[in-house]
Amino acid sequence: MDLVYLNGDYVPRLSAKISVFDRGLLFSDAVYEVVSVIDGRLVDMERHVTRLERSLGELSINAFADWMAISQNLVAENKLREGLIYLQVSRGVMDEREYRWPAPDTAPTIFAFAQQRVLLENPMADSGMRIITRPDLRWQRCDIKTTQLLYASLMKMEAMAAGVDDVWMTRDDMITEGTSQNAHIIREDGVLISHQLDCRILPGVTRIEMLMQAKSMELTVEERAFSIDEAKNAAEAFVTSSTLLIMPVVEIDGHKIGDGRPGERTRAIRQNYMAAVQKASSKLN
């Protein structure tokens, strides 16, 4: 994955450089997107572009580019069959470090790169994820996909130290989301519960298609917060993200979910999601 995009040019990754006075570096004044690539095709690109442009608007960053063309070129030039495209936009470069940002017409810094990753045949889909819960101490605008990811990184390291796969974060004993995934549960009666869209969670792109697939399976969907106890007593649990797609959760804080194996309804949602993605990909060929 040698070729990257930087401010209008495609350059070797070792030649791509940004200023030390870039606000993305100094203040995390930047937003990003991660787009799945399956069979050499971008997954849900239009939804990712919509979310990227919303994030830019929420931070008043003036950035315009052909996001689709940039991403497609990176897929083609790097011969990427399965993996990710990472897109990042910062407010741009300052003359010196200053909290107040420069004039609105300051040129943003835009870069993107390709990354190989196993998505379809991830072995965790068969074993399931083990999760621990921790307080959600992030800022209050989690609906904006910024590069302020230090707390998420700390929680991923805490999960690693605990010998589990990841963390679900909580506020007042209510689960918000994972470190880089939306969190969901399914009750024994087939009701799927997913946190409502608000400033406490990122509006996941994979979550959109997952909910469509769940409704097509005639599962009842409730978009609301759920407690740690609800999650532990659920029949099934899972996460959604561009990197994990739909991934089952089999343990929370050492408590087995259901029978401790990936749930049948979760498996069905994952299979239906994969089929939908591959069908969309075939239409583009």
Side-chain angles (χ1 to χ4, degrees):
M1 302 294 108
D2 184 59
L3 204 65
V4 305
Y5 173 91
L6 177 60
N7 293 332
D9 296 316
Y10 293 89
V11 298
R13 62 186 303 157
L14 295 181
S15 300
K17 296 178 175 26
I18 63 171
S19 169
V20 296
F21 292 102
D22 191 276
R23 283 186 62 90
L25 175 63
L26 294 175
F27 294 103
S28 291
D29 191 359
V31 300
Y32 75 103
E33 280 293 325
V34 176
V35 185
S36 302
V37 176
I38 294 176
D39 295 331
R41 299 291 177 177
L42 300 162
V43 176
D44 274 334
M45 187 64 190
E46 291 182 359
R47 289 171 176 159
H48 282 285
V49 168
T50 296
R51 187 172 64 180
L52 174 62
E53 292 179 344
R54 177 187 178 276
S55 294
L56 290 168
E58 290 295 309
L59 297 184
S60 300
I61 296 176
N62 296 315
F64 306 94
D66 191 336
W67 312 111
M68 176 70 82
I70 291 169
S71 302
Q72 288 177 329
N73 288 341
L74 286 173
V75 170
E77 293 295 332
N78 289 290
K79 298 179 174 57
L80 180 63
R81 297 301 302 167
E82 185 169 312
L84 311 167
I85 295 295
Y86 178 92
L87 289 158
Q88 180 171 313
V89 185
S90 82
R91 198 178 302 276
V93 178
M94 308 170 61
D95 292 330
E96 58 184 26
R97 186 179 182 275
E98 171 60 55
Y99 280 88
R100 291 171 295 183
W101 57 68
D105 60 352
T106 300
T109 300
I110 302 174
F111 70 86
F113 56 82
Q115 200 169 16
Q116 285 186 322
R117 183 78 66 87
V118 174
L119 301 178
L120 294 179
E121 301 300 328
N122 189 329
M124 197 181 291
D126 294 322
S127 61
M129 298 177 70
R130 296 164 61 219
I131 297 292
I132 54 175
T133 59
R134 292 293 185 270
D136 191 343
L137 302 180
R138 300 172 298 169
W139 78 317
Q140 299 295 311
R141 291 302 309 274
C142 300
D143 56 307
I144 306 173
K145 196 170 178 68
T146 74
T147 58
Q148 299 181 62
L149 298 172
L150 180 57
Y151 188 71
S153 295
L154 289 171
M155 291 301 97
K156 284 186 180 291
M157 295 305 295
E158 189 157 330
M160 182 184 296
V164 297
D165 299 300
D166 221 311
V167 167
W168 279 5
M169 295 175 285
T170 66
R171 295 186 182 182
D172 299 323
D173 290 326
M174 304 297 284
I175 291 168
T176 52
E177 59 185 346
T179 57
S180 56
Q181 325 90 14
N182 290 133
H184 322 277
I185 60 173
I186 302 177
R187 293 195 319 227
E188 193 63 54
D189 60 2
V191 174
L192 188 156
I193 306 174
S194 178
H195 198 293
Q196 73 274 14
L197 296 183
D198 58 26
C199 65
R200 288 171 289 185
I201 73 164
L202 183 74
V205 168
T206 306
R207 176 184 181 275
I208 298 172
E209 182 64 33
M210 178 278 293
L211 290 177
M212 292 175 60
Q213 294 300 328
K215 290 173 182 177
S216 73
M217 294 166 54
E218 300 185 347
L219 294 178
T220 299
V221 173
E222 293 183 6
E223 295 189 56
R224 62 170 177 83
F226 54 89
S227 67
I228 297 174
D229 283 342
E230 274 189 285
K232 290 180 178 178
N233 292 313
E236 303 180 32
F238 64 98
V239 300
T240 55
S241 74
S242 294
T243 53
L244 294 176
L245 307 179
I246 285 88
M247 192 62 64
V249 170
V250 297
E251 180 185 297
I252 300 174
D253 289 336
H255 181 91
K256 186 187 302 183
I257 305 302
D259 62 3
R261 295 177 295 179
E264 290 303 315
R265 283 167 290 204
T266 300
R267 286 183 182 276
I269 293 171
R270 179 180 171 87
Q271 290 169 355
N272 290 349
Y273 174 85
M274 299 297 194
V277 166
Q278 291 173 319
K279 181 178 180 181
S281 175
S282 67
K283 287 181 179 179
L284 293 172
N285 288 316

